[in-house]
Amino acid sequence: ALILKSKNIHTTQEHLKKIFDYVNYLKRYYIIIYYKGSFKNFDNTWESYKGDVAATEFPENFSFENSEGFIDLSKVFDDITNFRIAKSYHGGEGVEIFHIMIYLSK
């Protein structure tokens, strides 16, 4: 998990790289992003976050699959305003990361 108040490529990439250090044999990973910035910037921060993930230099066997890109699943859910969810594929062996950003500011 990580906390973002706005776009922060360094924090995003640092946390993403760590998930494979904890356990590197799973096929499915989850990362929770606690967004504590302004609601008016929520969607822009989500879009920036997705770009930062795509630009991350993951370990070789977990590289970001550019052909698949991000699959934004947010539209699958009806009437949501306070969270976004997407998945990305990594390493060419069916490894998935689910990215869940939750708006927590008042």
Side-chain angles (χ1 to χ4, degrees), residues 63-82:
S63 61
F64 181 78
E65 291 291 325
N66 285 315
S67 62
E68 294 289 335
F70 251 87
I71 299 171
D72 197 325
L73 303 169
S74 301
K75 292 177 178 50
V76 172
F77 300 94
D78 293 328
D79 199 25
I80 63 162
T81 57
N82 293 335

Side-chain angles (χ1 to χ4, degrees), residues 1 11-12 15-17 19 25 33 36 39 51 54 58 69-70 73 80 88-90 92 94 96-100 104:
T11 298
T12 297
H15 280 77
L16 285 166
K17 290 178 186 179
I19 64 175
Y25 56 83
I33 306 99
K36 300 197 84 174
F39 187 73
F58 288 97
F70 251 87
L73 303 169
I80 63 162
S88 56
Y89 293 96
H90 297 264
E96 301 171 324
I97 300 177
F98 284 86
H99 309 262
I100 304 162
L104 292 179

Side-chain angles (χ1 to χ4, degrees), residues 5 14 16 24 31 47 54 59 67 74 84 94:
K5 293 182 180 177
E14 179 182 315
L16 285 166
N24 63 7
I31 186 156
E47 293 303 318
S67 62
S74 301
R84 302 289 178 264

Side-chain angles (χ1 to χ4, degrees), residues 42-75:
F42 184 53
D43 285 327
N44 288 336
T45 302
W46 174 241
E47 293 303 318
S48 294
Y49 169 84
K50 293 190 299 182
D52 294 347
V53 173
T56 300
E57 290 187 33
F58 288 97
E60 186 176 322
N61 52 333
F62 296 109
S63 61
F64 181 78
E65 291 291 325
N66 285 315
S67 62
E68 294 289 335
F70 251 87
I71 299 171
D72 197 325
L73 303 169
S74 301
K75 292 177 178 50

